[in-house]
Amino acid sequence: MAQQSSVPTSSDPPPFDPTEPSTPIAFPIKTLEDLESRAYFKSFHYPFNRSTVALQPVPLPDRRRMLVCHDMAGGYKDDKWVQGGTNPDAYAIWHWYLIDVFVYFSHDLVTLPPPCWTNTAHRHGVKVLGTFILEGGGEAARDTLLSTNESAQMYAERLTELAIALGFDGWLMNMEISMNSQQIPYLKEFVSHLTQSMHSKLPGSLVIWYDSVTVDGKLDWQDQLNEKNKPFFDICDGIYVNYGWKEETPKNSAAAAGERKYDVYMGIDVFGRGTYGGGEWNTNVALDVLRKEDVSAAIFAPGWVYEHKQETDFQTAQNKWWNLVKKSWGIVQSYPKQLPFYSNFDQGHGYHVSIDGEQISDAKWNNLSSQGFQPMLEVTDASTSHSIQAYLNFKEAYNGGGSIALEGSLERNGYTEIRLFQGELVLDELPLKFMYSSKTNGDSQLGLSLEFLSSTNKRKLLLAPSTKKKFSNDFSEVIETTPLELPGLSPDWFVQAGSIQMNGYKLTNINILCYRSSHENDEPSHKSGLVDKNNAPDGNSSSEYFAMLGNITLRSHEEPDLPPYNSWLIEGQYIKWTPSPEGTRTLDIKIVWKLKDSRSHTVYEHYNIYVIKVGEKGENRLGELHNVAEYLGVTHVEAFYVSNLAVPSSTSGLKFMIQVCGVDGSSQRLEDSPFLYLDVEGSRGPPFYANLWRWFESVLKTVFWFFFLG
């Protein structure tokens, strides 16, 4: 695989000490000594690097598959910041419905996937692998690893331990280094023991061998599965074939694999280095051959679209490139599959953060862990020139950093359908409850079109506001939604709710329906949409359409109660105050929390972290207490590290609030959220203030209700 290089400069930072508190990052293991000693588990950063989104432990489907290997400039770039970075244009993948397996790759000895990749891939049903690599310069490590059966087994068990602890699904084995014949039996033991160990600890896990060193110890890429590399294929879960294959090679490799032909992943380098078809915008040429021969594909370095200068912006180029993959290969993942199902369409980066339509931060950010289920935005019909464009809008959001914008031209009696999700959700006797948020201009309207399938019947239902009999001829049933008034909801956004009962049916498609409000006796006619951000619509005043979809929630029960603030144990650790000449100071602190009930195994989707800086006496303390909550960030584990927080000299205390958020999109009210109160070092604030905090809040609430609401 392509080698990256870096040249140290005089401005390089001091050596990284993983045992010292600092802003949490993801990082690889560079030596066998650190792997053997379990040094990673002793690092300050380890607890932050555990993924929290679980994946069902099932085998890969019995069909050709898509593996994507991410390699970008040595790895650990914007994605290394576990709690999120500051680059709103950071690289991301959002076409997960085209992928079965994701590999995080670098040229370090042990590449551990940053948890943001594992979280978002698992959310979309994709397995995640780390990489173990030995290449030029790794002779000493090779000789240590392959010295005995015992050493091979021990290092295999260390790799298994890491994958299980951090929550990813296996390993790509990249042994790009020559060996002597005496080491080959130990290499086989290493691969075999790792495969067996992973399978025993995590059913459905994978160990995949890269086509490099042969069974006689030569570093000789075969570009196919044959007798020189098949002994390794036979003791693991698959082979990643090098990129230099010819048109007839996939057929020969499939024949060599026999019943395991889907475990042969033929490599395609998107940078085009010796790859069939040339990669880049011709990646689909190689995919067409692999689809014809019915073997699996391994796409290497799709970040080429990001790293290579394109004629358009990255969003447009990324969608165009992956659409070539979709056209050639087809969709391999479907969702929703289970309840609750929630998406805010967030791509994991943006220019601000919103909750319930209100912007809570104007800071630029990136964090793939926050990426929601990604929509397909696929037209259902393209038979007319009338267009509605659907694209991710980063200017306004309902929850998170983006929303779906829908704009274009639409006749008053027409409507457009755009596929949002392709699902396989089997329904039972419980009602299926829908909620979605939208924002529209003028007479533009937005609803959800739902397609269902049973063993004997197909049905298509519409959920939309104020539809009356407008669409009765086009849908099996039309359900008028109910507007909800939610606490804290922005007046610019509307939330609609509806309920259906489809026992025995499978929900196969969720579509956006764009239409215009009109008189009840108007007859709508179907107009297709073009899902493309290019070529802005003409904006004919009589047919101009604009709407935004902020989020969507499906569940079978009412919104769950989140545990109250007194259900949690919260602690501050590694507290460090740093004074400045101006009389202010900064704070570093690790905040950890857990439920008091140790029997609870509930996993919450994420936690929003806020701070209120409480003024000293005479500083209008109660006014500040109730009006200034500063958003600090988000975490997906029960810990958050606050770094370099500026604390004004007039501050007596800091109230850190942990807003608990559920997988169904629900979030706790800030006033009900668990918190940690910290007296500012050297302040004049009364030490008993923290104990009276809830009392002040309850008194103010009582006074408000008595005098203003009677």
Side-chain angles (χ1 to χ4, degrees):
M1 294 189 177
Q3 175 70 54
Q4 308 287 345
S5 62
S6 60
V7 179
T9 68
S10 58
S11 61
D12 283 348
F16 169 61
D17 184 351
T19 64
E20 289 297 315
S22 63
T23 302
I25 65 168
F27 61 96
I29 296 174
K30 296 178 178 291
T31 68
L32 280 180
E33 291 79 10
D34 283 346
L35 178 59
E36 179 178 358
S37 68
R38 297 184 172 96
Y40 184 85
F41 296 110
K42 303 168 188 174
S43 75
F44 174 80
H45 304 266
Y46 159 60
F48 296 95
N49 274 276
R50 293 177 291 108
S51 68
T52 55
V53 181
L55 186 67
Q56 290 295 320
V58 295
L60 287 170
D62 187 27
R63 55 160 171 77
R64 56 180 167 81
R65 306 163 194 142
M66 174 64 71
L67 180 150
V68 170
C69 187
H70 175 61
D71 169 62
M72 182 175 287
Y76 302 101
K77 299 304 178 185
D78 291 307
D79 53 11
K80 76 178 180 181
W81 303 109
V82 177
Q83 293 180 170
T86 58
N87 179 10
D89 302 313
Y91 177 74
I93 288 176
W94 53 88
H95 297 81
W96 295 104
Y97 51 86
L98 304 176
I99 304 172
D100 293 293
V101 182
F102 175 84
V103 180
Y104 194 80
F105 180 85
S106 82
H107 288 275
D108 294 295
L109 179 72
V110 180
T111 302
L112 302 170
C116 62
W117 285 107
T118 308
N119 283 336
T120 190
H122 279 185
R123 190 172 290 122
H124 291 88
V126 176
K127 294 182 187 292
V128 177
L129 308 184
T131 304
F132 182 86
I133 188 170
L134 281 178
E135 50 190 344
E139 288 77 11
R142 173 200 63 194
D143 295 343
T144 300
L145 169 68
L146 305 178
S147 58
T148 64
N149 269 345
E150 289 73 24
S151 66
Q153 292 172 4
M154 181 268 291
Y155 287 115
E157 289 168 4
R158 293 293 188 273
L159 292 178
T160 298
E161 182 182 34
L162 282 163
I164 300 303
L166 296 179
F168 59 93
D169 308 293
W171 297 95
L172 172 67
M173 308 304 293
N174 189 359
M175 310 298 285
E176 291 194 86
I177 190 169
S178 61
M179 302 174 187
N180 62 52
S181 58
Q182 289 78 23
Q183 292 173 323
I184 296 301
Y186 302 136
L187 176 59
K188 289 182 178 179
E189 181 62 26
F190 179 49
V191 176
S192 176
H193 194 76
L194 176 60
T195 304
Q196 295 171 28
S197 178
M198 284 298 307
H199 289 180
S200 66
K201 298 291 179 60
L202 182 64
S205 57
L206 299 174
V207 174
I208 294 180
W209 175 260
Y210 178 64
D211 165 31
S212 50
V213 68
T214 61
V215 74
D216 56 10
K218 293 181 180 179
L219 182 56
D220 187 10
W221 298 267
Q222 299 299 295
D223 301 324
Q224 63 182 314
L225 177 65
N226 60 21
E227 71 281 356
K228 292 186 178 181
N229 52 31
K230 190 172 184 293
F232 300 113
F233 172 78
D234 290 339
I235 57 176
C236 68
D237 299 302
I239 185 169
Y240 184 145
V241 174
N242 192 47
Y243 314 105
W245 50 270
K246 307 302 180 185
E247 188 166 358
E248 69 279 1
T249 313
K251 182 177 182 179
N252 296 337
S253 296
E259 294 180 353
R260 292 185 60 200
K261 66 177 182 177
Y262 298 137
D263 295 335
V264 177
Y265 299 84
M266 304 297 294
I268 306 170
D269 184 354
V270 183
F271 277 81
R273 294 162 287 201
T275 202
Y276 183 88
E280 301 185 357
W281 292 106
N282 293 314
T283 298
N284 56 305
V285 173
L287 288 174
D288 288 343
V289 173
L290 302 183
R291 185 192 65 225
K292 177 184 175 183
E293 300 300 340
D294 201 27
V295 295
S296 297
I299 292 179
F300 183 73
W304 171 83
V305 181
Y306 183 86
E307 296 183 79
H308 183 77
K309 184 174 177 57
Q310 305 293 343
E311 296 180 357
T312 60
D313 62 275
F314 172 59
Q315 284 279 321
T316 303
Q318 174 89 319
N319 287 331
K320 177 182 176 181
W321 188 88
W322 281 100
N323 280 336
L324 293 174
V325 174
K326 180 174 72 172
K327 184 177 180 180
S328 173
W329 201 254
I331 293 169
V332 301
Q333 300 284 355
S334 297
Y335 36 85
K337 289 184 179 180
Q338 59 185 15
L339 297 175
F341 177 80
Y342 171 80
S343 181
N344 59 359
F345 318 117
D346 199 322
Q347 282 189 358
H349 56 92
Y351 300 87
H352 49 76
V353 178
S354 295
I355 292 182
D356 295 338
E358 292 287 351
Q359 185 173 304
I360 61 170
S361 171
D362 60 1
K364 300 175 181 178
W365 65 279
N366 64 274
N367 187 340
L368 276 172
S369 282
S370 297
Q371 187 182 88
F373 279 99
Q374 289 301 293
M376 294 180 180
L377 300 185
E378 181 181 72
V379 295
T380 58
D381 187 349
S383 59
T384 176
S385 59
H386 288 81
S387 66
I388 293 292
Q389 301 174 351
Y391 57 89
L392 265 293
N393 169 35
F394 297 97
K395 294 181 179 179
E396 292 188 73
Y398 180 76
N399 274 336
S403 59
I404 295 176
L406 304 128
E407 64 175 317
S409 58
L410 186 65
E411 295 175 359
R412 180 167 298 281
N413 294 329
Y415 66 86
T416 293
E417 285 188 80
I418 297 171
R419 179 168 292 119
L420 193 59
F421 297 112
Q422 178 176 297
E424 47 182 278
L425 178 65
V426 178
L427 303 178
D428 56 21
E429 68 276 2
L430 292 175
L432 181 61
K433 302 175 186 297
F434 277 80
M435 288 197 307
Y436 66 93
S437 60
S438 62
K439 186 176 181 180
T440 60
N441 283 358
D443 62 358
S444 303
Q445 295 289 334
L446 185 152
L448 296 180
S449 165
L450 312 172
E451 298 178 35
F452 297 89
L453 180 66
S454 73
S455 58
T456 59
N457 195 18
K458 289 183 180 180
R459 298 196 72 197
K460 190 172 183 179
L461 277 62
L462 174 64
L463 289 173
S466 305
T467 57
K468 299 184 180 179
K469 298 180 180 178
K470 181 183 178 81
F471 298 105
S472 58
N473 294 330
D474 298 296
F475 294 87
S476 306
E477 185 178 352
V478 177
I479 300 171
E480 187 168 331
T481 57
T482 303
L484 299 182
E485 296 184 7
L486 303 177
L489 179 65
S490 166
D492 297 328
W493 289 84
F494 294 91
V495 176
Q496 301 289 336
S499 178
I500 58 176
Q501 195 154 8
M502 298 289 291
N503 188 15
Y505 279 81
K506 178 167 65 176
L507 174 61
T508 57
N509 285 293
I510 302 175
N511 308 317
I512 303 172
L513 186 89
C514 303
Y515 66 100
R516 301 162 66 82
S517 58
S518 58
H519 296 295
E520 184 177 345
N521 58 1
D522 286 345
E523 292 296 330
S525 58
H526 179 267
K527 300 295 182 183
S528 70
L530 299 178
V531 183
D532 188 357
K533 192 179 176 181
N534 298 326
N535 305 320
D538 296 331
N540 185 324
S541 60
S542 64
S543 60
E544 187 174 307
Y545 179 93
F546 182 82
M548 287 190 294
L549 181 64
N551 68 349
I552 180 173
T553 303
L554 285 70
R555 56 184 174 222
S556 57
H557 299 88
E558 297 298 331
E559 183 174 324
D561 291 329
L562 297 170
Y565 71 92
N566 55 6
S567 302
W568 299 86
L569 295 172
I570 309 173
E571 181 184 357
Q573 301 173 347
Y574 301 100
I575 299 171
K576 178 184 175 183
W577 296 97
T578 304
S580 68
E582 294 79 17
T584 61
R585 68 202 84 189
T586 60
L587 171 68
D588 296 341
I589 181 175
K590 177 185 177 183
I591 305 171
V592 297
W593 55 92
K594 63 179 181 179
L595 285 168
K596 293 177 181 178
D597 184 359
S598 59
R599 298 167 298 175
S600 174
H601 300 291
T602 304
V603 176
Y604 295 99
E605 208 286 326
H606 65 272
Y607 306 88
N608 294 322
I609 311 300
Y610 298 79
V611 65
I612 291 177
K613 298 171 182 176
V614 182
E616 294 184 348
K617 278 189 175 181
E619 297 285 343
N620 189 25
R621 179 188 297 158
L622 290 182
E624 291 191 4
L625 167 65
H626 285 277
N627 295 325
V628 183
E630 177 185 348
Y631 175 75
L632 296 180
V634 63
T635 179
H636 291 74
V637 297
E638 294 178 341
F640 188 80
Y641 187 70
V642 180
S643 177
N644 203 33
L645 177 68
V647 182
S649 57
S650 60
T651 305
S652 67
L654 300 168
K655 180 184 180 183
F656 295 99
M657 293 178 290
I658 299 118
Q659 185 180 41
V660 184
C661 301
V663 294
D664 62 344
S666 58
S667 57
Q668 199 165 34
R669 296 192 307 170
L670 277 183
E671 55 266 36
D672 297 328
S673 297
F675 69 91
L676 173 72
Y677 188 87
L678 183 69
D679 286 314
V680 172
E681 187 180 71
S683 72
R684 301 189 304 255
F688 60 88
Y689 187 69
N691 298 325
L692 298 179
W693 198 284
R694 290 289 175 183
W695 181 82
F696 278 123
E697 290 185 327
S698 63
V699 168
L700 288 174
K701 288 178 184 177
T702 302
V703 170
F704 175 82
W705 283 98
F706 181 79
F707 283 101
F708 293 97
L709 300 179

